[in-house]
Amino acid sequence: MQTSVFSNPSFKRFWLSRVASGFAYQMMTVAVGWQMYELTGSALSLGLVGLAQFLPQLALTLVVGHAADHMERRRIVFACQAAQGVLAAALAAGSFAGLVDQHAIYACAFAIGAARSFEMPTMQALLPGLAETAMLPRMLALSASGWQSAVIVGPALGGALYAAGPQAVYGVCAVCFVLGSAAMFSIPRQAPQARREPPNLRSVLGGISFIRSRPEILGAISLDLFSVLLGGATALLPVYAKDILHTGPWGLGMLRAAPAVGALSMSLFLARVPLNRHVGHKMFGAVAVFGVSTVVFGLSTSFPLSLAALACLGASDMVSVVIRSTLVQLETPDDLRGRVSAVNSIFIGTSNQLGEFESGVTAALFGAVGSVVLGGIGTLVVVALWMRLFPALRLRDKLVVNKAG
C-alpha cells in the first residue's frame, strides 16, 4: 500500500509554507508592476524593479549557500517569510496613506530580493531531509505543483484584488506570508548537518567548484540563465496589457498566469510520460520552442493568441526545468546542497529579475515589441551556440545513469 506524502506532518507544513509564500509573492508581483507603471508610465522603471531584486541576490549568493549548509534551514526560511510579510504590510499601509512612490517600491523590491535570496535555496536544501529518499521524487513533484498553482492563481487573484487598490493586494500578501512563516516554524527541528566546515574561502566557493566540475550541470543551468535572460518578457506584461492588448489589471493577472498554466499542464504530462531517453536533445528543443513562443507573443496583438503563446512558453520551460532539477538533485551531495542550490538560484531564479531589467532597457531603446522579439531571437542563437559548447549535455541520453561497473 502506497503511503501519501501528506501523511508526513513535516512535509505537509513545508508544502503549506511554500504555497502560502508563493501566493503572496505572485500577487505582490502583479501589484508592484501595475502600481509602478501607473506611477511612472515607464517600461524602464519596470526593468529597474527587476534589477533592484536581482542585485541583493547576486551579492548574497555565497553567503546564502554557506548559511544553508551550516545553520538550521527551517529558521532561515521562517525569518525570510516573516520579513517579507512585514514589507508587504508596509506597502499596504503606505499605499493606503498615499505615501508610496517609485523610490519606496524600489527599496521594498531590494529588501524582498534579499529575503528571497535566502528563502528559495534554503527551501530547496531543506526538502530532501524531511523524509526517506524513496519519497523524494513525489515530494518534489507535489512541491512543484503547489508552486505552479500559486503562479497560476496568485496573479489572477492579485489582478482582481487590485480593483480595490494596491493596499488590498499588499494586505492579503502580508497575511499569506505570516501564515507561511507560521507553518514553517511549526516543522520539528531537524538534526544539524553532519559536516560543518569552517567558513573559509574554499567552503564558501564549494558550490561553484562543484558545478564547474560537472559540464552537463553547468551547461543546463547556464542555458536556462541566458534563455530566460534574453527571452523573459514578464517585466513588459503591464505594457502589453495596457497599451498593446488594451486590457486591465485582471488581464495582466491572466497574462502572468498563462505560463504557469502551460508549466503545470506539462508537469502533469511528464508525471505520466517521464523523460526516459534523449533528454539532451529534448532540453535544447524545449528551449528553442521557448524562444519561438517569445517571438510569437512579442508580435501578437490578440489577447487569446498572447495567452496561448505564453502557455506554450511555460510548457517548454517546464521540460528544461525538470531536466535541470533532476540532474542537480541526483548528482549533488547533501553537504553541498545548500551551496549548489544558491548558485543554481542565481543562474535560474535571479535571471528572471535580470531579464526584467534587460527587457526594460531594450524596450526603452527599441519599444516593447522590439525588445521581446529580439529576446526570442537571442534565445534561439544561444541554443545553437550551447549545443556546440556543451556536447556532453546535448548527447545526454538518460537522466539516471547507471554508474556501476
Side-chain angles (χ1 to χ4, degrees), residues 25 37 83 189 197 200 267 322-323 368 384:
Y25 181 73
Y37 196 57
R189 182 174 182 176
E197 298 177 75
N200 53 45
S267 67
V322 168
I323 295 173

Side-chain angles (χ1 to χ4, degrees), residues 96-399:
F96 181 77
L99 300 177
V100 172
D101 59 11
Q102 64 265 40
H103 302 296
I105 294 177
Y106 290 141
C108 285
F110 184 90
I112 289 170
R116 288 182 64 79
S117 70
F118 281 88
E119 178 191 4
M120 301 312 294
T122 307
M123 287 193 91
Q124 294 173 21
L126 173 65
L127 178 57
L130 297 181
E132 298 177 358
T133 303
M135 300 292 287
L136 183 59
R138 297 176 64 203
M139 285 185 169
L140 288 169
L142 281 171
S143 178
S145 297
W147 172 258
Q148 292 299 335
S149 298
V151 175
I152 292 169
V153 180
L157 181 58
L161 287 172
Y162 199 92
Q167 64 272 12
V169 186
Y170 296 136
V172 173
C173 290
V175 172
C176 288
F177 277 128
V178 170
L179 292 175
S181 63
M184 179 58 60
F185 193 74
S186 68
I187 295 176
R189 182 174 182 176
Q190 293 181 285
Q193 283 84 320
R195 297 174 58 185
R196 291 181 178 270
E197 298 177 75
N200 53 45
L201 184 62
R202 178 182 177 184
S203 67
V204 169
L205 297 177
I208 295 176
S209 300
F210 178 82
I211 290 173
R212 287 184 59 189
S213 69
R214 303 294 195 281
E216 294 174 24
I217 295 178
L218 176 60
I221 63 177
S222 60
L223 176 64
D224 264 16
L225 165 67
F226 285 103
S227 63
V228 174
L229 176 63
L230 295 172
T234 55
L236 301 180
L237 289 182
V239 181
Y240 269 82
K242 188 172 184 179
D243 298 338
I244 297 176
L245 301 175
H246 306 293
T247 183
W250 66 270
L252 174 60
M254 291 183 67
L255 290 172
R256 284 200 175 274
V261 172
L264 181 59
S265 300
M266 179 57 71
S267 67
L268 294 175
F269 174 78
L270 292 178
R272 297 181 61 87
V273 186
L275 295 164
N276 292 323
R277 302 295 303 274
H278 311 299
V279 296
H281 285 97
K282 289 176 181 176
M283 181 172 190
F284 282 109
V287 178
V289 172
F290 180 93
V292 172
S293 300
T294 301
V295 173
V296 172
F297 171 76
L299 295 174
S300 172
T301 57
S302 164
F303 188 68
L305 178 60
S306 297
L307 288 176
L310 289 172
C312 185
L313 181 151
S316 59
D317 185 52
M318 178 54 63
V319 176
S320 174
V321 166
V322 168
I323 295 173
R324 184 196 74 247
S325 298
T326 305
L327 287 174
V328 172
Q329 288 288 346
L330 288 176
E331 301 190 20
T332 303
D334 182 67
D335 61 291
L336 278 170
R337 189 169 281 121
R339 281 163 285 179
V340 171
S341 295
V343 177
N344 185 43
S345 178
I346 278 292
F347 272 86
I348 307 307
T350 61
S351 63
N352 291 291
Q353 283 80 47
L354 194 58
E356 290 177 4
F357 175 65
E358 178 271 337
S359 296
V361 171
T362 55
L365 295 173
F366 306 111
V369 173
S371 171
V372 175
V373 172
L374 286 174
I377 294 173
T379 298
L380 296 175
V381 173
V382 168
V383 169
L385 183 60
W386 255 237
M387 290 182 74
R388 286 182 171 272
L389 291 177
F390 297 95
L393 176 61
R394 173 170 52 86
L395 298 174
R396 178 88 178 217
D397 185 34
K398 297 181 179 181
L399 283 173

